[in-house]
Amino acid sequence: MILSGKARVAGVIGWPVAHSRSPRLHGYWLERHGIDGAYIPMAVPPGRLEQALRALPALGLRGVNVTLPHKEGTLAACDNVDSLARRIGAVNTVVVCDNGELSGFNTDAFGLIENLRQRSAWRATDGPAVILGAGGAARAACVALLDAGVGSIRIVNRTRQRAADLADAMSGPCAAVAWAEREEALEGAALVVNTTSLGMAGQPPLDLRLDSLPLKATVYDIVYVPLETRLLAGARARGNAVVDGLGMLLHQARPGFEAWFGTPVEVDEGLRDFLLQDLSNA
Ligand SMILES: NC(=O)c1ccc[n+]([C@@H]2O[C@H](COP(=O)([O-])OP(=O)(O)OC[C@H]3O[C@@H](n4cnc5c(N)ncnc54)[C@H](OP(=O)(O)O)[C@@H]3O)[C@@H](O)[C@H]2O)c1
């Protein structure tokens, strides 16, 4: 795509940023929709975040995605922060307003729930949910499931205090469960979401027997490298519905793209295949 002088420009800020899939993902949509625009990776070291964010309006950029380690710092630096991003405690999408102010959003909860809805028959009223983990992704998962109307969430984490802190912060029907009791926590659950890094390439597998999980429950692993983790393979083998994490990555990108480039976009099999090819070449 050859850019005109009026091209809209957005990008991703991170440190490091070279591993980010976002330029490929947004590049796919830009090309598919024939948009006069570009999405570029920007390596911003710690200590220069505020300077980088403040430069966006002056450079005429439409906004940025924000990845590690800048998500919390960006929340503090934005002029306006969406209430969802405040509840999650992190900003992953910045939109430059017409008046030059920076508005911060978090689209991880949206990505998580959209993917779950697109790829399973799960309904919030099906029953209790179990979230494994209590880090940033678990926070987004909690907010997403509570807002979807889940009536009870069990948060299971290796560091129990972190699970208790998350349950307290959510002011909803959330309870902390010790890691040693993770298998009992599956009893009667309608949904299990792994938000730990266990099972990801280069990390130990998630050690979790599924015997007490109802067969009608959905098992969702937000890890996407590999696409089918040991957790998902085990769940599929015993007859549970499974959802992988790739779609979360794809859906979370939609609101930013739509705000910056003014075109609604979809997540379909073509996009999944494109990103999968990209991941397998990495
Ligand atoms: N699909 C997507 O779009 C998407 C989006 C965001 C994140 N993710 C994935 O989600 C995962 C977590 O991300 P995050 O940002 O939430 O990370 P994080 O804030 O660092 O949290 C990591 C979580 O994993 C747990 N954990 C790590 N090692 C463990 C072990 N050996 N045994 C038991 N628990 C362990 C941690 O428990 P402690 O509290 O005890 O340390 C914590 O709950 C990553 O794999 C990331 O790639 C995917």
Side-chain angles (χ1 to χ4, degrees):
M1 179 90 194
I2 295 176
L3 300 176
S4 81
K6 292 180 184 166
R8 298 173 178 217
V9 182
V12 54
I13 284 179
W15 185 264
V17 81
H19 66 285
S20 172
R21 305 286 160 193
S22 296
R24 300 278 293 159
L25 169 54
H26 287 270
Y28 174 93
W29 281 325
L30 286 169
E31 190 156 322
R32 180 149 184 193
H33 294 279
I35 293 170
D36 182 19
Y39 182 100
I40 53 176
M42 291 177 268
V44 174
R48 304 205 74 176
L49 174 65
E50 174 104 31
Q51 216 178 352
L53 289 170
R54 286 293 150 207
L56 298 176
L59 291 168
L61 267 74
R62 299 284 170 150
V64 284
N65 282 128
V66 181
T67 186
L68 298 176
H70 294 316
K71 291 185 181 188
E72 288 81 12
T74 301
L75 187 144
C78 281
D79 302 300
N80 323 294
V81 176
D82 167 67
S83 61
L84 199 66
R86 278 208 191 283
R87 282 164 69 207
I88 296 172
V91 161
N92 73 346
T93 304
V94 176
V95 175
V96 177
C97 305
D98 291 343
N99 64 1
E101 287 188 349
L102 304 177
S103 289
F105 302 89
N106 189 306
T107 63
D108 278 338
F110 171 82
L112 184 138
I113 206 83
E114 285 290 298
N115 183 40
L116 180 58
R117 288 188 169 136
Q118 188 180 46
R119 300 192 70 83
S120 78
W122 171 86
R123 293 286 169 270
T125 48
D126 287 348
V130 175
I131 294 178
L132 301 162
R139 266 187 108 83
C142 258
V143 167
L145 296 180
L146 287 172
D147 288 3
V150 172
S152 160
I153 299 179
R154 304 163 189 165
I155 305 169
V156 187
N157 196 47
R158 174 180 61 178
T159 310
R160 195 177 189 286
Q161 189 56 48
R162 249 185 129 188
D165 291 347
L166 177 54
D168 286 349
M170 285 297 122
S171 67
C174 302
V177 179
W179 189 247
E181 287 157 26
R182 61 193 179 281
E183 280 150 11
E184 291 88 322
L186 304 178
E187 275 167 32
L191 176 69
V192 183
V193 188
N194 175 40
T195 74
T196 73
S197 44
L198 294 173
M200 194 165 96
Q203 298 289 322
L206 171 62
D207 176 19
L208 183 72
R209 287 176 64 88
L210 299 176
D211 301 356
S212 50
L213 183 70
L215 283 177
K216 58 182 194 297
T218 300
V219 179
Y220 187 0
D221 199 334
I222 72 160
V223 166
Y224 56 88
V225 180
L227 194 62
E228 179 145 294
T229 57
R230 196 193 284 186
L231 170 67
L232 292 190
R236 188 195 296 280
R238 70 192 289 274
N240 290 100
V242 299
V243 177
D244 64 65
L246 181 61
M248 176 176 169
L249 175 76
L250 306 181
H251 282 285
Q252 65 76 30
R254 285 172 44 207
F257 188 95
E258 293 173 11
W260 305 318
F261 301 112
T263 301
V265 280
E266 305 228 322
V267 171
D268 56 20
E269 288 304 315
L271 178 59
R272 272 181 70 87
D273 290 348
F274 175 76
L275 256 289
L276 275 177
Q277 205 170 2
D278 203 44
L279 290 169
S280 65
N281 290 338

